[in-house]
Amino acid sequence: MDVSAYLEAVYGNLHRRDPAETEFHQAAHEVLQAIGPVLQAHPEYLHARIVERLCEPERQLMFRVPWVDDQGTVQVNRGFRVEFNSALGPYKGGLRFHPSVNLGIVKFLGFEQIFKNALTGMAIGGGKGGSDFDPKGRSDGEVMRFCQAFMTELYRHLGEHTDVPAGDIGVGGREIGYLFGQYKRITNRHESGVLTGKPVGWGGSHARTEATGYGAVFFAQEMLATRGQDFDGRRAVVSGSGNVAIYAIEKVHALGGRVVACSDSSGYLVDEDGIDLELLKEIKEVRRERISAYAEVKTTARFSARGSVFDVPCEVALPCATQNELHQQDATALTKNGVLAVAEGANMPCTPEAVEIFRGARILFGPGKAANAGGVATSALEMQQNASRESWSFERTEDQLATIMRQVHAQCRATAETYGGDADDYVLGANAAGFLRVAEAMTAQGVV
């Protein structure tokens, strides 16, 4: 069988069946482009139609979420959960509450989650969910009522051995608490392992809040080490200023680097002294204000509503905001300014054109399914603690996270070298390694 023609046919069929799901098409195309050498070496996966089965979710849920706002007005949102693949374990992936959420975005995130979860080496499958509800500007009471309505429909599909959601954009400790409370109320079970991202006081894991940002920096550190370099004295920029970005900044500073710029949807901030993390946390996590408020407090910093945070010269770039935020022109600017490494803290933040520029320029590039796997890895550690009724220290959990990220990095390099000959090709390595682990399990379990 001509593997290239076969993969083109699979991709064409995805377009035909789901014509409007552009983000899902993009995620699938990256994987299909990468796994050709694996299929050449393992024709049994072709005969078992593993690729087609991987690209089709095991279950797609879409439901209405009616709730009442503080004015007594009934609001109606749309809820989603895509349970993509359970070959390695229960579906695992976050819930995103944001106006941009639609089925195509949830499918792209769930598809990425399959390979990301496989790379961690943990016993977790891939899934994702969310709603077009926007928690910004809503009162605690409104968020609670929405979460209760959302869980009233979703609960019947969840379970610690079935599907274990976590947080994502718009879903933090507050939302997880409301969701868990409603699940417990409906099921009459304190099933701690059914949701991760819980506060530490009632079943959460130390270092879970920090895990995605820390993990991306650990991965970048491993990439730099392959060239005899590290973060010490390096300039870095981080896009975003939410949970992932804040803790990526924290870990870069801890490793001796200096993050000089970050951003939000209103623009970007430059502070040549290095981002003042406590001030940033105060503005974004406590006051919930725009990042421009930072420059109002610290007059040595400057805020720009135009251009891109990636215009700021740096040696390490960590895109940690959202999908497709780093474009071709941004990659070109970073390359001209001498960037050494780019690690995706968000899910698919670099466009395909940007990725090709990095790969062509031999810049170290860590794709999200590898570089930001620390979040879901620590969620799996939370599940492990829940199952044994244990609570680990922050230090123990962070050590486990660092070990997992080193293993993910080593696995990507070894697989890339096996199937492409270039250990620096992390795109090939991450996709091929994740695919191999899932394909092996799917083959062993038969046609299901």
Side-chain angles (χ1 to χ4, degrees):
M1 181 183 293
D2 184 332
V3 171
S4 296
Y6 163 75
L7 291 172
E8 284 182 17
V10 171
Y11 185 63
N13 200 38
L14 290 181
H15 266 276
R16 181 183 62 79
R17 297 178 74 178
D18 305 301
E21 298 173 355
T22 55
E23 293 86 1
F24 173 54
H25 298 157
Q26 181 181 337
H29 190 252
E30 180 191 292
V31 173
L32 296 178
Q33 275 190 317
I35 62 173
V38 179
L39 295 175
Q40 293 280 9
H42 296 277
E44 65 272 20
Y45 297 149
L46 289 169
H47 300 310
R49 292 292 187 264
I50 294 296
V51 178
E52 289 97 320
R53 288 158 59 192
L54 262 175
C55 291
E56 187 66 26
E58 293 175 11
R59 187 176 296 108
Q60 300 180 68
L61 310 169
M62 188 163 66
F63 50 93
R64 74 179 181 198
V65 187
W67 57 283
V68 181
D69 66 19
D70 286 345
Q71 286 69 50
T73 303
V74 175
Q75 303 285 344
V76 181
N77 286 97
R78 184 173 283 176
F80 304 91
R81 186 69 177 172
V82 174
E83 297 176 331
F84 227 116
N85 190 283
S86 60
L88 297 176
Y91 309 106
K92 187 81 192 79
L95 298 171
R96 176 176 294 190
F97 292 171
H98 192 271
S100 66
V101 170
N102 57 44
L103 184 59
I105 284 178
V106 174
K107 282 181 68 178
F108 127 62
L109 293 167
F111 187 72
E112 286 278 291
Q113 204 79 41
I114 300 170
F115 306 95
K116 181 190 305 184
N117 294 2
L119 284 170
T120 68
M122 314 291 274
I124 44 177
K128 204 78 177 184
S131 173
D132 57 0
F133 170 75
D134 189 357
K136 285 184 179 177
R138 293 293 182 181
S139 69
D140 287 348
E142 289 176 321
V143 172
M144 180 184 72
R145 290 191 293 275
F146 172 80
C147 288
Q148 289 173 338
F150 183 86
M151 183 55 77
T152 297
E153 173 57 35
L154 187 61
Y155 86 94
R156 69 194 80 232
H157 302 286
L158 305 184
E160 60 185 343
H161 302 296
T162 306
D163 187 349
V164 182
D168 193 82
I169 294 172
V171 179
R174 174 183 62 171
E175 289 76 15
I176 292 293
Y178 293 147
L179 290 164
F180 183 81
Q182 185 72 351
Y183 180 87
K184 180 166 66 74
R185 180 184 189 185
I186 293 171
T187 64
N188 195 33
R189 293 195 305 272
H190 196 290
E191 193 178 333
S192 295
V194 76
L195 284 166
T196 59
K198 303 181 293 295
V200 173
W202 49 276
S205 174
H206 286 289
R208 176 60 190 92
T209 303
E210 297 85 355
T212 307
Y214 277 20
V217 176
F218 286 146
F219 195 91
Q221 175 96 325
E222 292 296 311
M223 290 198 299
L224 288 168
T226 65
R227 297 186 180 175
Q229 300 164 338
D230 57 26
F231 269 102
D232 194 30
R234 302 283 179 201
R235 282 173 61 94
V237 299
V238 175
S239 68
S241 50
N243 174 267
V244 179
I246 283 173
Y247 291 103
I249 294 169
E250 182 171 282
K251 185 53 67 175
V252 170
H253 288 176
L255 293 174
R258 178 164 50 100
V259 177
V260 297
C262 60
S263 63
D264 65 12
S265 58
S266 67
Y268 70 94
L269 172 82
V270 179
D271 187 345
E272 291 292 344
D273 294 336
I275 297 296
D276 183 330
L277 197 59
E278 293 309 310
L279 176 57
L280 183 64
K281 287 182 179 180
E282 169 71 21
I283 290 168
K284 302 304 291 188
E285 296 182 341
V286 179
R287 290 157 52 180
R288 298 183 185 273
E289 294 180 354
R290 299 281 82 190
I291 204 168
S292 56
Y294 181 108
E296 294 170 6
V297 174
K298 194 172 181 187
T299 55
T300 56
R302 62 179 174 85
F303 170 78
S304 176
R306 295 184 178 181
S308 167
V309 69
F310 301 113
D311 294 334
V312 180
C314 65
E315 294 162 287
V316 180
L318 300 168
C320 295
T322 191
Q323 68 267 9
N324 290 326
E325 58 165 312
L326 196 160
H327 300 276
Q328 182 175 0
Q329 62 268 30
D330 302 317
T332 300
L334 285 167
T335 303
K336 286 181 178 177
N337 286 329
V339 73
L340 301 173
V342 179
E344 294 187 322
N347 291 305
M348 203 171 73
C350 299
T351 65
E353 296 78 14
V355 174
E356 285 310 305
I357 287 173
F358 293 140
R359 294 174 80 185
R362 302 288 297 169
I363 290 164
L364 295 165
F365 174 74
K369 57 173 61 73
N372 72 37
V376 74
T378 308
S379 282
L381 296 178
E382 182 176 333
M383 294 166 65
Q384 188 174 333
Q385 292 168 75
N386 292 158
S388 60
R389 301 279 196 262
E390 290 185 294
S391 180
W392 301 348
S393 68
F394 188 99
E395 292 74 19
R396 177 181 175 184
T397 310
E398 186 181 359
D399 284 347
Q400 289 269 55
L401 168 63
T403 298
I404 290 169
M405 295 311 296
R406 283 194 295 271
Q407 291 170 345
V408 170
H409 176 265
Q411 187 180 8
C412 289
R413 287 186 67 83
T415 308
E417 198 164 26
T418 298
Y419 290 96
D422 181 2
D424 285 347
D425 191 347
Y426 293 95
V427 174
L428 169 60
N431 285 294
F435 174 80
L436 279 164
R437 186 163 181 242
V438 179
E440 181 180 351
M442 290 177 69
T443 302
Q445 294 166 23
V447 181
V448 295

